[in-house]
């Protein structure tokens, strides 16, 4: 190695070790940004922070949700960039064993070559926020728990329906601070979503499950969709006549300039966090639920891999599920390890004790105490119900049983006026309902499904008699003497006797009334009918607990946020899949004694890992370009190579995947796609020393597009800042 390279590496190591472990806690709503304007400017933001509160302005107007991942517009022709793993379901949906885009990648040569995304794919563009707290909560504190739950749910549905009276919009009423506040979010619903470009798994999933949640990382986790609308600009289903959507704003893509210590922020739609949960829930989650589920996931993954061998059509159908299960399993291990490492249970107990002391210090706060005590008791009750139902819930997972249950529930809900139906069964939900049934054709294999059901029933049979469900046992034919060896013949009759594997039959059943479904001889349908009343009982009990929580949790949140403000903090609501902004700096870290994380990885790290075998099997064209040091215009001088991934101290969680990582000028410098193994426990408790997020660098994205996959047409379409 040249002396200059050695000096550069030494300086980077020194920087990583010396960097202050002061990760910026908080997933802030746009409305909170004026309160942290000084912090944003101090961290390096060059935009006016007030501009970020305008959801229809720049840059927030370019940030969109995919309904589970985040994304952003990067051209005036509706081009959307997100993570590879967020678009991978669409790649899988369009793949077969003979034409495997997962293995080979996909690039549309022209707009006419773009492929429809997986059924149900959506791009949501937020256009308006309205505070509806008073309308939702008025008069509910004097109601019984059941009436309170029903009233709040009905009001949220009514407000949503009024918003959606304008065609082409999908609206939701989001709850903040445990139901203390409600916001109506109006979103344009783009329904014609098409796959434009996704690198092969050997780039987009490089390192696979081995590198997942790890650093150093060398994953090209990016892909592109395009949004289409009707010629008049309105939202429309897929049609050859549709045209690319023209967003009001799109992001410029920065091809140079980001370095260690630079300001970065992420705008996206984080899924959920649990930073305000009470001790009882923390104890149940980390003492039982997570360890139990983590063990089940390990067996579940092995079951699918055995039933769907590599190279089979069944493996293609289950690739997305396997990726999700592997990710979840590793995440749970990280959560469990993190909770132990930081002493989460003790920390939560200490926080509750400190809150209690704060309440006791002022008589004006006395009303908080009984509400928090009742909420704690409710948390214990909910935890007990969760444990009791765990194995039953898994034993009713089979794909065709789930489809049958949803179809029968739909027939029962349709006996009610649309406005009174449960969410998921209203007319506004029927497109998703239909597409979900259709998607089974590419994500279901009878042999694999039966193997999964056998696994779940094996766990169910091993539970104490008092945790078995009599109506389920009777309907399925399980007795006290049933053994695991009996399951194969028992379950085979279900798969041999069903017609629900036929997509057309499933779709036709959407129009059937309850009496018609009840007369069916299909074994999965008969089982669904038999379980209906028991399942409704579980739902009723959950709603009663939910009604109590809706009265108690706002008081708890009012207390804890008031206490935190007195302590000098700026409370923020738990993540709930609504737009949030988090900010910080590019930096490495030292999560353990003797371990240093550098802020960037490079192309050469790919070749150091590469074995030629999955998941370290880079395309030969990529390896050749790296060996030739063909960096083009994307080299970062401080590392002497093209940066692949970089690390920051941003506070993020699941759902943030695909979020735009922006520089001080609001330009796209990367995409958030992961966190370190030491960070995953931040869903429950923020640890500034270990919280680090991982991003794919925009320079690596552009380098792959130009040097490996020949996607110059997309580079030309984007506004690339060099």
């Amino acid at each position: 190695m040249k002396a200059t390279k050695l000096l550069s590496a030494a300086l980077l190591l020194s920087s990583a070790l010396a960097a202050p472990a002061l990760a910026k806690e908080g997933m802030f709503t746009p409305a909170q940004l004026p309160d942290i304007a000084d912090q944003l400017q101090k961290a390096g933001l060059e935009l006016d922070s007030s501009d970020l509160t305008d959801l229809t302005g720049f840059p927030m107007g370019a940030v969109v949700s995919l309904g589970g991942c985040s994304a952003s517009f990067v051209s005036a022709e509706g081009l959307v960039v997100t993570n590879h793993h967020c678009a991978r379901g669409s790649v899988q949906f369009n793949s077969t064993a003979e034409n495997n885009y997962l293995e080979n990648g996909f690039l549309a040569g022209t707009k006419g070559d773009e492929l429809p995304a997986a059924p149900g794919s959506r791009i949501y563009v937020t256009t308006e926020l309205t505070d509806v707290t008073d309308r939702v909560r008025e008069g509910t504190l004097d109601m019984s728990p059941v009436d309170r739950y029903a009233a709040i749910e009905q009001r949220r549905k009514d407000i949503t329906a009024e918003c959606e009276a304008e065609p082409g919009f999908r609206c939701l009423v989001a709850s903040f601070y445990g139901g203390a506040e409600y916001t109506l979010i109006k979103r344009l619903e783009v329904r014609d979503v098409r796959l434009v470009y996704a690198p092969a798994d050997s780039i987009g999933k490089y390192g696979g499950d081995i590198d997942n949640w790890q650093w150093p990382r060398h994953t090209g986790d990016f892909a592109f969709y395009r949004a289409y609308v009707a010629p008049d600009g309105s939202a429309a289903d897929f049609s050859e006549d549709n045209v690319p959507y023209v967003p009001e704003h799109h992001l410029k893509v920065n091809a140079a300039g980001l370095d260690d210590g630079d300001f970065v922020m992420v705008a996206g739609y984080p899924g959920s966090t649990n930073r305000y949960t009470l001790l009882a829930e923390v104890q149940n989650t980390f003492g039982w639920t997570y360890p139990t589920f983590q063990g089940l996931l390990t067996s579940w993954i092995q079951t699918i891999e055995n039933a769907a061998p590599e190279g089979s059509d069944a493996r293609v159908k289950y690739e997305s599920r396997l990726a999700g299960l592997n990710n979840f399993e590793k995440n749970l291990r990280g959560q469990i390890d993190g909770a132990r490492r930081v002493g989460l249970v003790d920390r939560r107990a200490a926080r509750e004790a400190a809150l209690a002391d704060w309440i006791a210090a002022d008589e004006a706060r006395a009303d908080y105490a009984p509400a928090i005590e009742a909420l704690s008791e409710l948390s214990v009750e909910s935890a007990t119900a969760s444990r009791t139902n765990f194995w039953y819930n898994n034993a009713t997972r089979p794909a065709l049983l789930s489809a049958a249950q949803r179809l029968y529930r739909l027939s029962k809900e349709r006996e009610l006026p649309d406005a009174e139906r449960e969410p998921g069964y209203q007319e506004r939900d029927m497109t998703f309902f239909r597409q979900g049934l259709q998607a089974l054709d590419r994500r279901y294999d009878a042999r694999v499904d039966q193997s999964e059901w056998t696994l779940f029933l094996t766990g169910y049979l091993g539970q104490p008699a008092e945790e078995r469900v009599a109506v389920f046992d009777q309907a399925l034919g399980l007795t006290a003497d049933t053994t695991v060896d009996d399951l194969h013949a028992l379950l085979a009759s279900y798969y041999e006797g069903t017609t629900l594997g036929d997509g057309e039959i499933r779709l036709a059943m959407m129009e059937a009334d309850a009496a018609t479904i009840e007369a069916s001889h299909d074994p999965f349908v008969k089982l669904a009918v038999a379980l209906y009343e028991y399942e409704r009982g579980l739902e009723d009990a959950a709603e009663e607990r939910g009604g109590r929580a809706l009265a108690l949790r706002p008081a708890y949140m009012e207390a804890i946020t008031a206490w935190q403000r007195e302590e000098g903090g700026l409370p923020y609501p738990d993540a709930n899949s609504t737009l949030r902004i988090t900010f910080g700096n590019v930096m490495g870290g030292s999560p353990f004694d003797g371990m240093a994380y550098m802020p960037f990885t490079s192309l050469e790290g790919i070749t150091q890992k590469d074995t030629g075998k999955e998941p370290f099997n880079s395309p030969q064209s990529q390896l050749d370009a790296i060996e030739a040091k063909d960096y083009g215009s994307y080299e970062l001088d401080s590392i002497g190579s093209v940066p692949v991934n970089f690390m920051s101290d941003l506070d993020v969680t699941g759902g943030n995947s695909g979020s735009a990582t922006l520089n001080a000028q609001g330009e796209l410098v990367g995409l958030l796609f992961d966190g370190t193994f030491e960070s995953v426990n931040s869903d429950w408790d923020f640890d500034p020393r270990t919280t680090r997020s991982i991003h794919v660098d925009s320079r690596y994205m552009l380098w792959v597009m130009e040097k490996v996959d020949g996607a110059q047409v997309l580079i030309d379409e984007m506004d690339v800042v060099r």
Side-chain angles (χ1 to χ4, degrees):
M1 181 183 291
K2 294 181 180 179
T4 54
K5 292 289 183 68
L6 285 170
L7 178 60
S8 176
L11 289 172
L12 282 170
L13 180 59
S14 176
S15 173
L17 291 173
L22 296 174
K24 283 74 173 177
E25 177 179 0
M27 301 178 198
F28 299 101
T29 65
Q32 290 185 291
L33 294 182
D35 296 329
I36 58 170
D38 291 344
Q39 296 179 46
L40 286 164
Q41 299 298 328
K42 185 177 180 180
L45 177 68
E46 297 179 12
L47 297 174
D48 186 337
S49 59
S50 63
D51 292 341
L52 303 181
T53 65
D54 182 1
L55 300 184
T56 61
F58 177 84
M60 293 299 107
V63 178
V64 298
S65 170
L66 303 181
C69 282
S70 302
S72 52
F73 288 115
V74 287
S75 89
E77 297 183 80
L79 190 66
V80 172
V81 67
T82 188
N83 283 157
H84 183 273
H85 74 260
C86 294
R88 197 168 181 269
S90 293
V91 180
Q92 175 266 325
F93 183 81
N94 285 288
S95 296
T96 64
E98 296 76 27
N99 192 16
N100 193 337
Y101 295 128
L102 295 171
E103 181 178 335
N104 303 319
F106 173 78
L107 173 63
T110 67
K111 292 184 178 67
D113 297 326
E114 294 168 0
L115 299 175
S121 297
R122 294 289 188 274
I123 294 172
Y124 297 105
V125 185
T126 299
T127 61
E128 187 178 348
L129 299 182
T130 305
D131 185 353
V132 293
T133 302
D134 291 343
R135 181 175 172 186
V136 172
R137 294 193 64 191
E138 184 180 7
T140 58
L141 290 180
D142 296 328
M143 297 178 179
S144 70
V146 172
D147 289 343
R148 181 183 305 115
Y149 184 93
I152 289 177
E153 182 178 88
Q154 188 61 54
R155 291 173 187 179
R156 294 172 76 175
K157 288 190 292 187
D158 291 344
I159 294 169
T160 299
E162 293 167 10
C163 178
E164 292 180 354
E166 184 176 356
F169 288 87
R170 186 81 174 179
C171 305
L172 65 91
V173 177
S175 169
F176 296 84
Y177 298 108
E181 298 176 7
Y182 291 89
T183 299
L184 171 64
I185 303 174
K186 186 175 183 179
R187 307 173 299 173
L188 177 71
E189 180 186 36
V190 177
R191 302 195 299 272
D192 186 350
V193 181
R194 303 185 195 178
L195 181 66
V196 178
Y197 165 53
D201 275 0
S202 52
I203 291 176
K205 199 185 172 188
Y206 189 79
D209 299 319
I210 296 173
D211 273 5
N212 193 22
W213 303 105
Q214 301 295 321
W215 187 261
R217 200 71 181 273
H218 301 85
T219 308
D221 201 345
F222 69 95
F224 291 85
Y225 280 135
R226 194 182 304 277
Y228 280 82
V229 292
D232 64 1
S234 62
D237 294 327
F238 176 86
S239 170
E240 297 291 346
D241 297 329
N242 286 349
V243 297
Y245 172 70
V246 180
E248 290 190 27
H249 301 279
H250 65 273
L251 301 176
K252 294 181 178 179
V253 180
N254 190 288
L258 190 69
D259 210 336
D260 187 15
D262 284 353
F263 171 89
V264 285
M265 65 179 176
V266 154
Y269 292 80
S272 63
T273 52
N274 305 281
R275 293 182 183 172
Y276 296 103
T277 52
L278 291 169
L279 177 62
E281 185 173 347
V282 172
Q283 290 174 318
N284 180 69
T285 298
F286 289 93
W288 191 86
T289 304
Y290 278 5
T292 304
F293 207 3
Q294 191 268 327
L296 176 61
L297 285 167
T298 301
S299 300
W300 191 354
I301 291 164
Q302 188 63 56
T303 295
I304 294 175
E305 291 177 341
N306 291 341
E310 285 278 4
S312 66
D313 189 58
R315 174 58 69 91
V316 173
K317 289 181 176 180
Y318 282 80
E319 276 289 357
S320 288
R321 179 179 294 184
L322 275 174
L325 293 176
N326 275 296
N327 182 66
F328 189 28
E329 189 277 332
K330 198 166 189 178
N331 180 283
L332 287 188
R333 278 192 284 121
Q335 298 266 17
I336 295 166
D337 182 69
R340 175 196 55 76
R341 186 178 63 251
V342 304
L344 177 59
V345 172
D346 291 339
R347 285 168 62 89
R348 194 59 54 94
R351 187 178 77 180
E352 292 189 14
L355 177 62
D357 289 343
W358 177 81
I359 293 171
D362 189 336
E363 290 184 2
R365 305 168 187 157
D367 288 345
Y368 290 137
I372 294 175
E373 182 180 357
L375 185 61
S376 182
E377 293 172 354
L378 178 59
S379 294
V380 174
E381 185 179 332
S382 298
T384 300
S386 175
R387 293 177 67 157
T388 301
N389 297 327
F390 179 85
W391 285 106
Y392 169 77
N393 290 336
N394 281 293
T396 53
R397 277 188 184 273
L400 299 189
L401 174 57
S402 297
Q405 287 181 305
R406 294 183 66 224
L407 287 164
Y408 184 50
R409 178 67 178 272
L410 176 62
S411 72
K412 301 290 283 187
E413 290 290 336
R414 278 186 166 160
E415 295 173 355
L416 302 171
D418 185 61
E420 298 177 16
R421 297 178 197 167
E422 290 292 318
Y425 296 93
Q426 295 179 291
E427 289 306 313
R428 68 189 292 268
D429 304 309
M430 288 303 98
T431 297
F432 284 105
F433 199 106
R434 184 175 296 103
Q435 289 173 334
L437 294 176
Q438 291 171 324
L440 271 179
D441 289 337
R442 292 299 307 140
R443 294 173 181 168
Y444 165 78
D445 178 90
R447 184 171 178 271
V448 180
D449 198 70
Q450 184 175 341
S451 297
E452 289 178 309
W453 200 8
T454 300
L455 170 69
F456 301 139
L457 283 173
T458 299
Y460 174 80
L461 290 176
Q463 300 315 299
E466 60 269 19
E467 294 189 13
R468 297 272 289 268
V469 177
V471 65
F472 178 67
D473 287 359
Q474 182 178 356
L476 193 59
L478 302 177
T479 70
D481 298 323
T482 301
T483 68
V484 174
D485 293 337
D486 299 325
L487 292 178
H488 178 76
L490 180 66
L491 302 187
S493 64
Y494 277 77
Y495 293 92
E496 293 167 359
T498 187
T499 59
L500 288 180
D502 186 321
E504 294 300 321
I505 291 177
R506 292 195 301 273
L507 292 177
M509 286 183 66
M510 284 185 64
E511 308 305 321
D513 58 23
T516 300
I517 293 179
E518 289 163 0
S520 172
H521 296 291
D522 187 290
F524 282 112
V525 176
K526 291 173 66 176
L527 182 56
V529 171
L531 297 177
Y532 180 79
E533 291 299 332
Y534 178 76
E535 296 256 343
R536 295 293 68 72
L538 293 178
E539 190 173 295
D540 290 344
E543 290 180 359
E544 192 276 338
R545 292 192 297 272
R548 281 187 276 158
L550 286 169
L552 300 172
R553 194 169 293 277
Y556 164 63
M557 291 305 304
E558 182 179 324
I560 198 169
T561 54
W563 171 53
Q564 288 178 338
R565 285 192 183 95
E566 284 196 10
E567 295 292 312
L570 177 61
Y572 52 90
D574 264 323
N576 62 350
S577 298
T578 60
L579 184 62
R580 303 297 177 89
I581 294 89
T582 181
F583 70 97
N585 302 88
V586 177
M587 72 165 60
S590 180
F592 299 111
D593 180 44
M595 178 182 289
Y597 286 160
M598 311 302 290
F600 288 93
T601 59
S602 68
L603 292 180
E604 283 66 29
I606 295 173
T607 59
Q608 291 169 11
K609 287 182 176 179
D610 207 273
T611 64
K613 296 181 180 179
E614 188 179 354
F616 301 105
N617 56 332
S618 295
Q620 189 60 47
S621 59
Q622 182 179 38
L623 296 175
D624 291 343
I626 297 172
E627 183 177 5
K629 299 187 181 300
D630 185 7
Y631 302 149
S633 59
Y634 308 112
E635 182 176 0
L636 174 59
D637 290 341
S638 62
I639 67 172
S641 183
V642 177
V644 176
N645 297 151
F646 66 89
M647 181 177 282
S648 76
D649 63 346
L650 271 62
D651 185 6
V652 298
T653 188
N656 269 128
S657 289
S659 292
T661 306
L662 307 176
N663 65 9
Q665 296 82 38
E667 298 164 344
L668 185 82
V669 291
L671 298 174
L672 179 76
F673 73 92
D674 208 355
T676 61
F677 192 70
E678 301 83 24
S679 299
V680 295
N681 192 246
S682 64
D683 282 0
W684 294 81
D685 183 82
F686 186 84
D687 182 359
R689 174 183 172 85
T690 60
T691 297
R692 293 295 183 271
S693 299
I694 302 173
H695 315 247
V696 56
D697 198 294
S698 58
R699 289 164 287 194
Y700 181 59
M701 294 163 53
L702 293 166
W703 184 85
V704 169
M705 295 170 73
E706 178 181 331
K707 304 293 184 179
V708 181
D709 285 341
Q712 187 64 43
V713 65
L714 296 182
I715 297 176
D716 294 341
E717 180 180 335
M718 297 185 291
D719 292 332
V720 179
V721 179
R722 299 183 185 276

